[in-house]
Amino acid sequence: LKMALEPRKYCIVANWKCNGTTDFVRDIVNNLINDLEFDQSKLDLIVLPGLLHINLAKARINDNVMIGSQNVSAFPGNVDNYTGEVSAQQLADYEIEWVLIGHNERRRHYNESQEHINQKVEQAREANLGLIYCVGENLEQRESEMTYDIINQQLGSIKEILDKTQWRRVIIAYEPIWALNTGKIASADQTQEAVELIRAWLKDNCSDEVSKQTRILYGGPVTESNTENLIKLKDVDGFLVGSTSCKPVFRSIFDMILAQANRDLK
């Protein structure tokens, strides 16, 4: 008999973005992050500090919390001269476990093309880093009913780089870019529709196993008021939390997700 696949663990990624000082890092690690108690068999907590703060966070954070990087070079280290870059090999050497790639702010503010993002994925894969890979459509694309086309393009591009075993080290974050700083809100139904589409894409283009095992996070605005409804959705496995993860309210958001994980994963 074929063994049943293990249920997906829940996951919370705290993206501190370009926030904080050394005092902030000491304070949030000591008084919030290290105070969170959870069963690692049910939930992963991944913190993405700013690059300058990775060392400090890594030294102080509890062993049950994983550290990732908000960015990675698209170019290999030790090969050529890339001033100011941090290579995937350097992150791996420093025992960083995850890297965020394809975030909408990198795509928009730094004009990162899909080709450039693919190079980052390739570097991260070769260094055996876990990927937190962002996909999502903007308002114009959504109103033109291009959601599937955009997600198909964004996922299809990295499918050429990853083999089926490497999807185990991929977390997908759905960012409803149309609901970021636009005054619009992604409802539970709209969110489920998008993540269901992603899971169906994984089944059709990778395998049923990859579809069932890959975790999909909600990467839109996360608040106390929408967390409880969104985490109940059958295809949402957690959240990519932005600047809210730097605030005391993050504890409440964490507790709601943990409660759902404890209910689901006995």
Side-chain angles (χ1 to χ4, degrees), residues 101-154:
I101 297 179
H103 193 276
N104 82 86
E105 290 164 5
R106 300 296 310 180
R107 292 180 190 263
R108 288 186 297 129
H109 301 322
Y110 300 94
N111 298 316
E112 290 193 2
S113 66
Q114 189 61 49
E115 184 182 3
H116 190 75
I117 289 163
N118 294 349
Q119 288 176 290
K120 290 186 173 190
V121 170
E122 198 158 345
Q123 290 302 315
R125 183 207 65 185
E126 288 181 7
N128 200 30
L129 296 171
L131 303 179
I132 303 162
Y133 182 68
C134 300
V135 300
E137 80 282 29
N138 62 32
L139 186 59
E140 184 185 346
Q141 291 161 342
R142 183 172 184 83
E143 289 178 345
S144 303
E145 298 184 349
M146 291 174 65
T147 298
Y148 181 79
D149 295 336
I150 296 301
I151 288 173
N152 180 49
Q153 181 222 343
Q154 292 168 341

Side-chain angles (χ1 to χ4, degrees), residues 13 21 25 146:
V13 179
T21 60
V25 175
M146 291 174 65

Side-chain angles (χ1 to χ4, degrees), residues 199-223:
R199 208 166 290 291
W201 186 95
L202 291 169
K203 182 177 181 179
D204 293 343
N205 294 277
C206 298
S207 70
D208 188 47
E209 183 178 358
V210 166
S211 174
K212 287 176 177 170
Q213 287 189 334
T214 302
R215 291 178 288 180
I216 304 173
L217 311 183
Y218 172 76
V222 180
T223 64

Side-chain angles (χ1 to χ4, degrees), residues 156-207:
S157 293
I158 69 164
K159 175 182 176 274
E160 305 305 315
I161 302 166
L162 304 172
D163 66 34
K164 286 183 182 174
T165 62
Q166 289 165 329
W167 281 96
R168 293 173 182 272
R169 297 273 289 151
V170 176
I171 295 168
I172 296 172
Y174 170 65
E175 295 188 286
I177 300 167
W178 54 273
L180 299 174
N181 306 314
T182 61
K184 294 182 182 289
I185 295 170
S187 69
D189 286 347
Q190 288 169 319
T191 301
Q192 173 58 27
E193 184 183 8
V195 293
E196 205 171 273
L197 192 150
I198 292 167
R199 208 166 290 291
W201 186 95
L202 291 169
K203 182 177 181 179
D204 293 343
N205 294 277
C206 298
S207 70

